[in-house]
Amino acid sequence: QVQLVESGGGLVKPGGSLRLSCAASGFTFSDYSMTWIRQAPGKGLEWISYINEKGDFSKYSDSVKGRVTVSRDNAHDSMFLQMRSLRAEDTAVYYCARDQGVEVVPTADSWGQGTLVTVSS
Amino acid sequence: DIQMTQSPSTLSAAVGDRVSITCRSSQRVTDWLAWYQQKPGKAPKLLIFKASTLESGVPSRFGGSGFGTEFTLTITSLQPDDFATYYCQLYDPLFPRTFGPGTKVEI
């Protein structure tokens, strides 16, 4: 059974940094690309980052580009999101998600339960 | 940037109703369009991908259609478990993955 568990969220001051983790189990992690998606309180979904299976290619939304770095450790079935220069508008639940494995162009088919990041002084 | 819109933003319906949600893109895209269902406090669930392909385990009352700039999610007979918010998402490799603003289906 696919399981994704996010951690690392919490309260951080504006301008601060935070590192989110996503622990994967129930599938061969290194066979799948992964994404991060966030949802501000009471708002819709926003895709923010993608990383390929090997971890040598990544993409970011314009809203986080330059402030966020995605990485993965296939040996430990984990993905990370390093966030810097955090702003109030980064306050959201952050979800990690697994992309479909068999599709040529995949979308996210399994999601974690999310971790809440609150940026406030 | 490509923009995704959904209509309506809120849909009031009853159990047994046939409902449709429309998703439009600001540019012509291929069929790399997905639909997700989200219930309060829960992670989204993939329903439909590639515009019309039903994800494994999703009831057949859900259906997707469309191509180009307009896509539709249809629920043929609304069930109590279907009251939720629905999002479309473009995942065309030519564009950033972009979600629509969501449609809340309520009683």
Side-chain angles (χ1 to χ4, degrees), chain A residues 42 44, chain B residues 4-12 20-24 35 84-87 100-106:
Chain B
M4 305 297 289
T5 60
Q6 286 182 235
S7 60
S9 55
T10 305
L11 192 160
S12 295
S20 292
I21 299 168
T22 298
C23 175
R24 292 184 176 90
W35 290 95
T85 299
Y86 294 85
Y87 295 91
T103 295
K104 184 177 182 180
V105 176
E106 59 183 22

Side-chain angles (χ1 to χ4, degrees), chain A residues 35 37 39 43-47 50 59 62 95 99-100 103 105-109 111-113, chain B residues 1 32 34 36 38 41-44 46 49-50 55 87 89 91-93 95-97 99 101:
Chain A
T35 63
I37 297 137
Q39 187 170 36
K43 302 298 185 182
L45 301 167
E46 180 189 13
W47 170 85
Y50 158 93
K59 294 193 294 187
D62 287 345
Y95 295 101
D99 280 347
Q100 296 166 304
E103 294 295 318
V105 180
T107 188
D109 67 354
W111 298 55
Q113 286 306 300
Chain B
D1 289 352
W32 304 117
Y36 291 88
Q38 187 180 33
K42 301 294 186 181
L46 178 63
F49 62 95
K50 208 175 180 191
E55 172 70 347
Y87 295 91
Q89 186 209 22
Y91 60 100
D92 189 317
F95 304 101
R97 296 191 191 187
F99 287 92

Side-chain angles (χ1 to χ4, degrees), chain A residues 32-110:
Chain A
Y32 293 82
S33 57
M34 301 287 293
T35 63
W36 286 97
I37 297 137
R38 69 182 181 184
Q39 187 170 36
K43 302 298 185 182
L45 301 167
E46 180 189 13
W47 170 85
I48 57 171
S49 181
Y50 158 93
I51 188 166
N52 71 348
E53 296 87 335
K54 292 183 179 179
D56 58 3
F57 178 74
S58 57
K59 294 193 294 187
Y60 302 94
S61 67
D62 287 345
S63 62
V64 302
K65 197 176 296 181
R67 300 188 298 120
V68 159
T69 303
V70 62
S71 61
R72 63 190 295 163
D73 180 351
N74 286 346
H76 293 92
D77 296 344
S78 296
M79 178 175 66
F80 307 98
L81 190 71
Q82 178 69 51
M83 301 190 293
R84 304 172 293 277
S85 303
L86 285 162
R87 309 164 180 166
E89 53 264 38
D90 296 317
T91 295
V93 173
Y94 285 72
Y95 295 101
C96 72
R98 185 193 78 170
D99 280 347
Q100 296 166 304
V102 297
E103 294 295 318
V104 173
V105 180
T107 188
D109 67 354
S110 298

